[in-house]
């Protein structure tokens, strides 16, 4: 399992290309909460309304798990949700799909929900712009999350559960 060093993560999160709010949030959600690209793409705007930071994420094979978000990240997500960029793309989303109270949080310029492939493409550009080579797959951020949890004393089964794995080999 390969993960980012704290220095590489700081280099990544502070890169010029990563100053775009949604790019920075994708990286933080992957690194600090162990979310997969598909889980990030599936987040609805109601994440900002979650009680006590608890949000149900839908992952691989439609498996659901609870994530407890810190107040700091919820504030960042809410700032993004209320940004002019998102308001403009949300308007396009409503024109295409009609009004819904569970719109995707992350929309592209056309008002379509971002895809996991789109997140991967943008993250890889972010890694390259930050000068990080070798470990340029977004999944490495999940590895960084798991490594940090283990280094801070979490047991393997707890980390397995936090990552949404059914078994240690998954």
């Amino acid at each position: 399992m390969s993960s980012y060093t704290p220095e590489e993560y700081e280099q990544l999160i502070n890169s010029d290309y990563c100053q775009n709010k949604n790019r920075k949030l994708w990286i933080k959600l992957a690194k600090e909460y162990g979310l997969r690209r598909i889980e990030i793409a599936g987040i609805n705007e109601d994440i900002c309304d979650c009680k006590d930071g608890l949000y149900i994420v839908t992952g691989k094979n439609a498996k659901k798990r609870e994530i407890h978000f810190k107040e700091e990240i919820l504030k960042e997500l809410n700032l993004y949700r209320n940004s002019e960029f998102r308001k403009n793309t949300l308007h396009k989303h409503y024109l295409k799909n009609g009004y819904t109270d569970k719109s995707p949080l992350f929309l592209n310029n056309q008002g379509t929900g971002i895809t996991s492939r789109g997140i991967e493409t943008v993250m890889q550009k972010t890694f390259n712009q930050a000068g990080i080579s070798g470990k340029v797959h977004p999944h490495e951020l999940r590895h960084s999350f798991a490594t940090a949890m283990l280094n801070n004393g979490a047991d393997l089964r707890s980390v397995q559960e936090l990552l949404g794995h059914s078994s240690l080999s998954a």
Side-chain angles (χ1 to χ4, degrees):
M1 175 167 59
S2 181
S3 63
Y4 290 97
T5 66
E7 295 78 22
E8 287 173 320
Y9 179 67
E10 286 301 313
Q11 183 181 351
L12 178 62
I13 206 79
N14 293 317
S15 69
D16 289 339
Y17 195 71
C18 195
Q19 296 318 299
N20 175 295
K21 283 185 177 83
N22 55 351
R23 293 175 192 154
K24 186 175 273 194
L25 282 168
W26 298 343
I27 289 169
K28 284 184 174 185
L29 290 169
K31 162 68 170 68
E32 297 175 24
Y33 297 94
L35 297 185
R36 296 176 176 95
R37 292 172 296 141
I38 193 167
E39 294 166 340
I40 295 168
I43 292 174
N44 292 325
E45 67 181 357
D46 65 344
I47 190 173
C48 299
D49 303 325
C50 62
K51 302 285 186 252
D52 300 322
L54 177 64
Y55 190 76
I56 307 298
V57 174
T58 304
K60 255 170 57 173
N61 303 318
K63 185 175 181 181
K64 297 186 182 307
R65 72 181 196 277
E66 294 180 352
I67 303 290
H68 295 273
F69 290 107
K70 296 176 188 166
E71 188 175 326
E72 177 185 313
I73 194 78
L74 290 172
K75 284 180 183 176
E76 285 184 60
L77 288 165
N78 205 30
L79 283 172
Y80 171 74
R81 180 175 76 169
N82 294 311
S83 69
E84 283 304 311
F85 169 79
R86 183 153 188 298
K87 286 178 183 177
N88 291 334
T89 58
L90 187 60
H91 178 70
K92 293 175 187 176
H93 178 75
Y94 289 157
L95 290 174
K96 286 181 183 179
N97 304 296
Y99 174 78
T100 174
D101 62 350
K102 290 216 175 183
S103 299
L105 179 63
F106 297 110
L107 300 164
N108 63 22
N109 290 331
Q110 291 77 39
T112 304
I114 195 74
T115 64
S116 66
R117 181 69 181 133
I119 289 173
E120 179 175 23
T121 300
V122 169
M123 281 188 174
Q124 287 177 339
K125 287 180 184 176
T126 305
F127 299 143
N128 292 336
Q129 288 285 326
I132 298 173
S133 59
K135 296 181 276 193
V136 295
H137 195 279
H139 206 74
E140 304 293 335
L141 292 164
R142 276 176 54 86
H143 294 176
S144 298
F145 169 78
T147 301
M149 294 298 294
L150 292 169
N151 288 343
N152 286 324
D155 65 274
L156 197 54
R157 293 277 179 215
S158 297
V159 174
Q160 169 192 335
E161 189 175 304
L162 286 170
L163 290 173
H165 286 277
S166 305
S167 69
L168 290 175
S169 60

